[in-house]
Amino acid sequence: MKFKINNRFRAVLGCLLAVGLLFSTPSFAFQQDSLAQDTAVSAASDTVEEGQADTAATAATAEGGEATAATTTSKSSSSSSSSASVLDEGPQIDPQVYKNMTYYILLFLILCTVVAVVGKVLSIYELTRKMNGRYNPFANNTFQSILLVIFLVAFLGFVYYGYVVWGDWAWRSAVTEHGERIDTMFIVTTVIITVVLVLVHILLFTFPYIYRMRKGTKAYYYPHNDTIEKIWTIVPAIVLTVLVLFGFFTWRSITNVPEELQKSAIQVEVLGEQFQWQVRYPGADGVIGKRNYKLTTPMNSYGIDFNDKHAWDDIQASDIVIPVNKSVRFHIISKDIIHSFYIPDFRVQINAVPGMTNYFQFTPTMTTEDMREKMDDPKYDFIMLCNKICGSGHYNMQKKVIVVTEEEYKEWLSTQNKYFTEDLQKEFAAANAEVSKELTTASLN
């Protein structure tokens, strides 16, 4: 036994030494390469400086020494090109990277060795107790069950800490009328899940302690119980059904808006594309003009159909500005792929799908300034995000949402530019003239 253990230790130490040499050798070699490169770069820079000094001396001492100046200039240019070739080899990996990698690999192997040694020591201790007749085969059961109880206490402590400390940080009340119903549904679901979480973990980690195998005890054979199976099948089914119906009717009450309320609301169209949002407001007529993707041009990137006169006074906005306590109906569309219209503080989220228009109507109940006072943060803003991973620039798809009073909203609206600019009017007139010419030619033929 003694020789076998010694041989194993020798094998482990040999492996550690081999791995250390394997990963330390590249770093030494790289240090030599980097040292040679640094020497070459310094020599090239010295050559450049000498060439510049020769050029200056020649220019100061001789008039008309054009040949000599040309020679020194070519020398300096060749030297600078050689130094540039040395410098342009690209960034090299820092030798410290290899050292760090070697350090962590060795540390990992040492930890593995320590664990193996501790395991061997415990095995020897267990063998010794067996030889002395004092070995208790059930002691390990008690030890492991105690560890599970300790883990249970720590787990419940972290759950409590998460709710008490991080709850206020992660939770803010909604600032829309329908958001209160969303919050109620969320709180009910969270309470149910938390109760189930705590009860299941208490049972899961106390049963191994209570019913651990001990000396002189005998397990009770309990193969089947219909009542228990009915309970843990029917009760979750009822709870989940209630939650699903609760969510369904809540969503239905939010999205099924009466037609008269749809027409009386402020209309705003939001177009998602990679990777930005465009916002369009109706003009004085209160109607958003039609859009046709076939009419998209570099100047008319939105694809607005200006044959529809309702589009002539449509307003272009850089931010989403809406009045407080006024119902706003958003028309959500997409230009290319699926995006997601998402405003967390408003409890608003709905997809923007190419080829169709989705709607979401809500009423904000708090202005941006009021929210800043509540949060004690003068720079806080409501933000509309894209909640679909739509590509490399997804992170940058956001638009500021500003909630103001009705008077401020009207004042802001009067200062915004229209989509139908003079350049677009000229383009539209030229396109119509060309169409009229084609129609006239076709009629004559």
Side-chain angles (χ1 to χ4, degrees), residues 210-228:
I210 297 172
Y211 299 104
R212 69 189 185 278
M213 181 182 287
R214 289 168 286 183
K215 189 175 183 180
T217 59
K218 184 178 180 181
Y220 177 69
Y221 183 66
Y222 199 73
H224 188 69
N225 189 304
D226 290 336
T227 303
I228 292 178

Side-chain angles (χ1 to χ4, degrees), residues 20 109 115 124-125 166 175 204 267 273 275 327 351 384 401:
L109 293 175
V115 172
I124 296 171
Y125 175 74
W166 295 109
V175 293
L204 186 65
Q267 310 294 320
E273 61 178 312
F275 298 98
S327 184
N351 286 343
M384 186 263 288
V401 182

Side-chain angles (χ1 to χ4, degrees), residues 269-274 277 291 293 331-340 351-358 397:
E269 186 179 71
V270 176
L271 170 71
E273 61 178 312
Q274 292 177 311
W277 296 98
R291 175 180 172 272
Y293 73 94
H331 304 229
I332 297 103
I333 56 179
S334 174
K335 188 176 181 179
D336 37 40
I337 62 174
I338 295 178
H339 301 279
S340 186
N351 286 343
V353 183
M356 64 181 294
T357 303
N358 287 328
M397 272 191 78

Side-chain angles (χ1 to χ4, degrees), residues 126-143:
E126 180 181 335
L127 181 61
T128 304
R129 292 185 66 85
K130 285 182 179 180
M131 295 174 62
N132 295 333
R134 293 183 297 177
Y135 176 67
N136 180 10
F138 307 110
N140 194 40
N141 295 342
T142 302
F143 175 72

Side-chain angles (χ1 to χ4, degrees), residues 187-203:
I187 291 171
V188 170
T189 305
T190 303
V191 169
I192 293 174
I193 291 175
T194 303
V195 171
V196 173
L197 175 77
V198 172
L199 291 178
V200 167
H201 279 78
I202 288 176
L203 295 175

Side-chain angles (χ1 to χ4, degrees), residues 267-271 278-282 288-291 302 304 314-315 320 329-333 357 419:
Q267 310 294 320
V268 182
E269 186 179 71
V270 176
L271 170 71
Q278 294 196 46
V279 184
R280 182 163 62 139
Y281 285 77
I288 298 175
K290 295 180 181 179
R291 175 180 172 272
Y302 207 114
I304 299 176
D314 287 350
I315 294 172
I320 299 176
R329 184 172 180 81
F330 280 86
H331 304 229
I332 297 103
I333 56 179
T357 303
Y419 269 101

